[in-house]
Short mmCIF file of all heavy atoms in Angstrom, two decimals:
data_model
loop_
_atom_site.label_atom_id
_atom_site.label_comp_id
_atom_site.label_asym_id
_atom_site.label_seq_id
_atom_site.Cartn_x
_atom_site.Cartn_y
_atom_site.Cartn_z
N ARG A 144 86.76 69.10 85.84
CA ARG A 144 86.56 69.52 87.22
C ARG A 144 85.13 69.18 87.65
O ARG A 144 84.23 69.03 86.83
CB ARG A 144 86.83 71.00 87.41
CG ARG A 144 85.90 71.92 86.67
CD ARG A 144 86.08 73.37 87.11
NE ARG A 144 86.86 74.13 86.16
CZ ARG A 144 86.94 75.45 86.16
NH1 ARG A 144 86.30 76.14 87.08
NH2 ARG A 144 87.64 76.10 85.27
N ARG A 145 84.94 69.09 88.94
CA ARG A 145 83.61 68.82 89.46
C ARG A 145 82.78 70.09 89.35
O ARG A 145 83.29 71.20 89.35
CB ARG A 145 83.71 68.36 90.91
CG ARG A 145 84.42 69.35 91.82
CD ARG A 145 84.76 68.73 93.15
NE ARG A 145 85.46 69.66 94.00
CZ ARG A 145 86.14 69.30 95.08
NH1 ARG A 145 86.20 68.04 95.43
NH2 ARG A 145 86.75 70.20 95.82
N LYS A 146 81.48 69.93 89.29
CA LYS A 146 80.59 71.07 89.07
C LYS A 146 79.81 71.46 90.31
O LYS A 146 79.20 72.53 90.36
CB LYS A 146 79.63 70.76 87.93
CG LYS A 146 80.31 70.69 86.56
CD LYS A 146 79.31 70.41 85.46
CE LYS A 146 79.92 70.66 84.08
NZ LYS A 146 81.16 69.94 83.84
N GLU A 147 79.81 70.62 91.32
CA GLU A 147 78.95 70.88 92.47
C GLU A 147 79.59 71.81 93.50
O GLU A 147 78.90 72.33 94.38
CB GLU A 147 78.53 69.57 93.15
CG GLU A 147 79.65 68.83 93.87
CD GLU A 147 80.51 67.99 92.95
OE1 GLU A 147 80.28 68.04 91.72
OE2 GLU A 147 81.41 67.29 93.46
N LYS A 148 80.89 72.03 93.42
CA LYS A 148 81.55 72.94 94.36
C LYS A 148 82.82 73.48 93.72
O LYS A 148 83.23 73.04 92.65
CB LYS A 148 81.86 72.24 95.67
CG LYS A 148 82.82 71.06 95.56
CD LYS A 148 83.10 70.46 96.93
CE LYS A 148 83.82 71.44 97.84
NZ LYS A 148 84.20 70.86 99.14
N LEU A 149 83.45 74.43 94.41
CA LEU A 149 84.66 75.05 93.88
C LEU A 149 85.76 74.00 93.72
O LEU A 149 86.05 73.25 94.64
CB LEU A 149 85.13 76.15 94.82
CG LEU A 149 86.29 77.02 94.32
CD1 LEU A 149 85.84 77.89 93.16
CD2 LEU A 149 86.83 77.89 95.45
N ASP A 150 86.37 73.98 92.55
CA ASP A 150 87.38 72.98 92.26
C ASP A 150 88.64 73.23 93.08
O ASP A 150 88.99 74.38 93.40
CB ASP A 150 87.72 73.00 90.77
CG ASP A 150 88.53 71.80 90.35
OD1 ASP A 150 87.94 70.75 90.06
OD2 ASP A 150 89.76 71.90 90.35
N ASP A 151 89.38 72.16 93.36
CA ASP A 151 90.60 72.26 94.16
C ASP A 151 91.66 73.14 93.51
O ASP A 151 92.55 73.64 94.20
CB ASP A 151 91.18 70.86 94.41
CG ASP A 151 90.33 70.05 95.38
OD1 ASP A 151 89.52 70.65 96.12
OD2 ASP A 151 90.48 68.81 95.39
N LYS A 152 91.60 73.30 92.18
CA LYS A 152 92.58 74.16 91.50
C LYS A 152 92.51 75.60 92.00
O LYS A 152 93.47 76.37 91.82
CB LYS A 152 92.34 74.12 90.00
CG LYS A 152 92.52 72.76 89.35
CD LYS A 152 92.31 72.85 87.84
CE LYS A 152 92.31 71.47 87.19
NZ LYS A 152 91.09 70.71 87.50
N PHE A 153 91.40 75.98 92.59
CA PHE A 153 91.23 77.35 93.08
C PHE A 153 91.45 77.46 94.59
O PHE A 153 91.25 78.52 95.16
CB PHE A 153 89.83 77.86 92.73
CG PHE A 153 89.57 77.94 91.25
CD1 PHE A 153 89.00 76.88 90.58
CD2 PHE A 153 89.92 79.07 90.54
CE1 PHE A 153 88.78 76.93 89.21
CE2 PHE A 153 89.69 79.15 89.17
CZ PHE A 153 89.13 78.08 88.51
N ALA A 154 91.84 76.36 95.23
CA ALA A 154 91.94 76.34 96.69
C ALA A 154 92.95 77.36 97.21
O ALA A 154 92.71 78.06 98.20
CB ALA A 154 92.28 74.94 97.19
N GLY A 155 94.11 77.45 96.56
CA GLY A 155 95.13 78.39 97.02
C GLY A 155 94.70 79.83 96.89
O GLY A 155 94.97 80.66 97.76
N ILE A 156 94.01 80.15 95.79
CA ILE A 156 93.54 81.52 95.59
C ILE A 156 92.41 81.83 96.57
O ILE A 156 92.34 82.94 97.11
CB ILE A 156 93.13 81.73 94.13
CG1 ILE A 156 94.40 81.67 93.26
CG2 ILE A 156 92.40 83.06 93.93
CD1 ILE A 156 94.15 81.64 91.78
N ALA A 157 91.54 80.87 96.83
CA ALA A 157 90.49 81.07 97.83
C ALA A 157 91.10 81.32 99.20
O ALA A 157 90.63 82.19 99.96
CB ALA A 157 89.57 79.86 97.88
N ALA A 158 92.16 80.60 99.54
CA ALA A 158 92.84 80.82 100.82
C ALA A 158 93.46 82.22 100.87
O ALA A 158 93.40 82.90 101.90
CB ALA A 158 93.92 79.76 101.03
N ASN A 159 94.05 82.67 99.74
CA ASN A 159 94.57 84.04 99.67
C ASN A 159 93.49 85.06 99.99
O ASN A 159 93.67 85.96 100.81
CB ASN A 159 95.09 84.34 98.26
CG ASN A 159 96.42 83.70 97.95
OD1 ASN A 159 97.01 83.02 98.79
ND2 ASN A 159 96.89 83.91 96.74
N TYR A 160 92.37 84.93 99.28
CA TYR A 160 91.31 85.94 99.42
C TYR A 160 90.75 85.95 100.84
O TYR A 160 90.50 87.01 101.41
CB TYR A 160 90.19 85.66 98.42
CG TYR A 160 90.54 85.94 96.97
CD1 TYR A 160 89.62 85.68 95.95
CD2 TYR A 160 91.78 86.44 96.60
CE1 TYR A 160 89.92 85.94 94.62
CE2 TYR A 160 92.10 86.69 95.28
CZ TYR A 160 91.16 86.44 94.29
OH TYR A 160 91.47 86.69 92.96
N ARG A 161 90.56 84.75 101.41
CA ARG A 161 90.05 84.68 102.78
C ARG A 161 91.00 85.38 103.73
O ARG A 161 90.57 86.16 104.59
CB ARG A 161 89.87 83.22 103.19
CG ARG A 161 89.51 83.03 104.66
CD ARG A 161 89.52 81.56 105.05
NE ARG A 161 90.77 80.89 104.70
CZ ARG A 161 91.90 81.02 105.41
NH1 ARG A 161 91.94 81.82 106.48
NH2 ARG A 161 92.99 80.37 105.04
N LEU A 162 92.28 85.13 103.59
CA LEU A 162 93.27 85.71 104.51
C LEU A 162 93.40 87.21 104.28
O LEU A 162 93.45 87.99 105.24
CB LEU A 162 94.61 85.01 104.32
CG LEU A 162 95.67 85.30 105.38
CD1 LEU A 162 95.22 84.81 106.75
CD2 LEU A 162 96.99 84.64 105.01
N LEU A 163 93.47 87.63 103.03
CA LEU A 163 93.67 89.05 102.73
C LEU A 163 92.51 89.91 103.21
O LEU A 163 92.70 91.08 103.55
CB LEU A 163 93.87 89.24 101.22
CG LEU A 163 95.24 88.81 100.68
CD1 LEU A 163 95.23 88.80 99.16
CD2 LEU A 163 96.34 89.73 101.21
N ARG A 164 91.33 89.35 103.25
CA ARG A 164 90.18 90.13 103.73
C ARG A 164 90.38 90.58 105.17
O ARG A 164 89.78 91.55 105.60
CB ARG A 164 88.89 89.30 103.61
CG ARG A 164 88.32 89.29 102.20
CD ARG A 164 87.13 88.36 102.11
NE ARG A 164 86.45 88.46 100.82
CZ ARG A 164 85.37 89.19 100.60
NH1 ARG A 164 84.84 89.92 101.57
NH2 ARG A 164 84.79 89.21 99.41
N GLY A 165 91.25 89.89 105.92
CA GLY A 165 91.52 90.28 107.29
C GLY A 165 92.53 91.40 107.43
O GLY A 165 92.83 91.81 108.56
N ALA A 166 93.05 91.90 106.30
CA ALA A 166 94.00 93.01 106.38
C ALA A 166 93.98 93.81 105.08
O ALA A 166 94.98 94.43 104.71
CB ALA A 166 95.40 92.49 106.65
N LEU A 167 92.84 93.84 104.41
CA LEU A 167 92.78 94.39 103.07
C LEU A 167 93.09 95.89 103.04
O LEU A 167 93.89 96.36 102.22
CB LEU A 167 91.40 94.13 102.47
CG LEU A 167 91.29 94.15 100.95
CD1 LEU A 167 92.29 93.21 100.31
CD2 LEU A 167 89.87 93.79 100.52
N ASN A 168 92.48 96.65 103.92
CA ASN A 168 92.73 98.09 103.94
C ASN A 168 94.18 98.41 104.28
O ASN A 168 94.75 99.37 103.76
CB ASN A 168 91.79 98.78 104.92
CG ASN A 168 90.34 98.74 104.47
OD1 ASN A 168 90.06 98.65 103.28
ND2 ASN A 168 89.41 98.77 105.41
N GLU A 169 94.76 97.59 105.14
CA GLU A 169 96.15 97.81 105.53
C GLU A 169 97.10 97.53 104.35
O GLU A 169 98.07 98.26 104.13
CB GLU A 169 96.50 96.94 106.73
CG GLU A 169 95.89 97.40 108.04
CD GLU A 169 94.37 97.33 108.06
OE1 GLU A 169 93.80 96.40 107.44
OE2 GLU A 169 93.74 98.21 108.69
N VAL A 170 96.80 96.47 103.59
CA VAL A 170 97.61 96.16 102.41
C VAL A 170 97.52 97.30 101.40
O VAL A 170 98.53 97.75 100.84
CB VAL A 170 97.17 94.83 101.78
CG1 VAL A 170 97.82 94.62 100.41
CG2 VAL A 170 97.51 93.66 102.70
N ILE A 171 96.31 97.80 101.16
CA ILE A 171 96.12 98.90 100.22
C ILE A 171 96.94 100.12 100.65
O ILE A 171 97.62 100.75 99.84
CB ILE A 171 94.63 99.28 100.12
CG1 ILE A 171 93.83 98.14 99.49
CG2 ILE A 171 94.46 100.55 99.29
CD1 ILE A 171 92.33 98.33 99.57
N ALA A 172 96.87 100.44 101.94
CA ALA A 172 97.59 101.62 102.44
C ALA A 172 99.10 101.45 102.33
O ALA A 172 99.83 102.44 102.16
CB ALA A 172 97.19 101.88 103.89
N LEU A 173 99.59 100.22 102.41
CA LEU A 173 101.03 99.97 102.37
C LEU A 173 101.58 99.88 100.95
O LEU A 173 102.77 100.09 100.73
CB LEU A 173 101.34 98.68 103.12
CG LEU A 173 101.25 98.76 104.65
CD1 LEU A 173 101.07 97.38 105.26
CD2 LEU A 173 102.48 99.44 105.22
N GLN A 174 100.72 99.58 99.98
CA GLN A 174 101.19 99.49 98.60
C GLN A 174 101.77 100.84 98.17
O GLN A 174 101.21 101.89 98.44
CB GLN A 174 100.05 99.11 97.66
CG GLN A 174 99.66 97.64 97.72
CD GLN A 174 98.58 97.31 96.71
OE1 GLN A 174 97.61 98.04 96.55
NE2 GLN A 174 98.73 96.19 96.01
N GLY A 175 102.88 100.79 97.48
CA GLY A 175 103.49 102.00 96.94
C GLY A 175 104.35 102.77 97.92
O GLY A 175 104.97 103.76 97.54
N THR A 176 104.41 102.32 99.18
CA THR A 176 105.20 103.04 100.19
C THR A 176 106.63 102.54 100.28
O THR A 176 107.47 103.17 100.92
CB THR A 176 104.56 102.89 101.58
OG1 THR A 176 104.62 101.50 101.98
CG2 THR A 176 103.10 103.36 101.58
N GLY A 177 106.92 101.38 99.70
CA GLY A 177 108.23 100.76 99.85
C GLY A 177 108.35 99.93 101.11
O GLY A 177 109.38 99.29 101.34
N ARG A 178 107.30 99.92 101.93
CA ARG A 178 107.34 99.16 103.19
C ARG A 178 106.59 97.83 103.10
O ARG A 178 106.43 97.13 104.09
CB ARG A 178 106.76 100.01 104.33
CG ARG A 178 107.61 101.24 104.63
CD ARG A 178 107.11 102.01 105.83
NE ARG A 178 105.86 102.72 105.55
CZ ARG A 178 104.69 102.44 106.11
NH1 ARG A 178 104.60 101.46 106.99
NH2 ARG A 178 103.62 103.15 105.81
N LEU A 179 106.11 97.50 101.89
CA LEU A 179 105.41 96.22 101.67
C LEU A 179 106.16 95.44 100.61
O LEU A 179 106.48 95.96 99.53
CB LEU A 179 103.98 96.47 101.21
CG LEU A 179 103.15 95.22 100.85
CD1 LEU A 179 102.83 94.41 102.11
CD2 LEU A 179 101.88 95.61 100.12
N LYS A 180 106.45 94.17 100.90
CA LYS A 180 107.12 93.30 99.95
C LYS A 180 106.47 91.92 100.01
O LYS A 180 105.86 91.54 101.01
CB LYS A 180 108.61 93.19 100.25
CG LYS A 180 109.35 94.53 100.17
CD LYS A 180 110.83 94.39 100.50
CE LYS A 180 111.52 95.76 100.45
NZ LYS A 180 112.96 95.68 100.75
N ALA A 181 106.62 91.20 98.91
CA ALA A 181 106.13 89.82 98.87
C ALA A 181 107.29 88.86 98.73
O ALA A 181 108.30 89.17 98.08
CB ALA A 181 105.17 89.65 97.70
N VAL A 182 107.16 87.71 99.35
CA VAL A 182 108.10 86.61 99.16
C VAL A 182 107.31 85.39 98.72
O VAL A 182 106.20 85.16 99.19
CB VAL A 182 108.91 86.30 100.44
CG1 VAL A 182 109.80 87.47 100.80
CG2 VAL A 182 107.98 85.96 101.62
N ILE A 183 107.87 84.63 97.79
CA ILE A 183 107.18 83.43 97.34
C ILE A 183 108.19 82.31 97.13
O ILE A 183 109.33 82.53 96.73
CB ILE A 183 106.37 83.66 96.05
CG1 ILE A 183 107.27 84.00 94.87
CG2 ILE A 183 105.31 84.72 96.25
CD1 ILE A 183 106.54 84.00 93.54
N GLU A 184 107.74 81.11 97.42
CA GLU A 184 108.57 79.93 97.21
C GLU A 184 108.63 79.61 95.72
O GLU A 184 107.63 79.72 95.02
CB GLU A 184 107.95 78.74 97.97
CG GLU A 184 108.72 77.44 97.87
CD GLU A 184 108.07 76.33 98.68
OE1 GLU A 184 107.04 76.58 99.34
OE2 GLU A 184 108.61 75.20 98.65
#
């Protein structure tokens, strides 16, 4: 991998973290309630 910047192998996880930061408290509050589910391809 290249050393000067974040490798592309982490691009999807970086996109997750960036997006989740916009609703992080809401996700935490919904966990365990049965009203939050994940779908994945």
Side-chain angles (χ1 to χ4, degrees):
R144 64 170 102 166
R145 57 192 179 196
K146 291 181 167 54
E147 69 278 4
K148 63 178 295 185
L149 188 69
D150 193 86
D151 289 341
K152 298 182 187 72
F153 297 92
I156 292 171
N159 285 358
Y160 289 178
R161 172 187 54 77
L162 192 62
L163 285 170
R164 280 175 173 263
L167 202 54
N168 292 333
E169 287 65 35
V170 169
I171 294 170
L173 286 159
Q174 284 184 316
T176 65
R178 295 185 288 113
L179 177 70
K180 299 179 182 180
V182 295
I183 65 170
E184 182 178 358

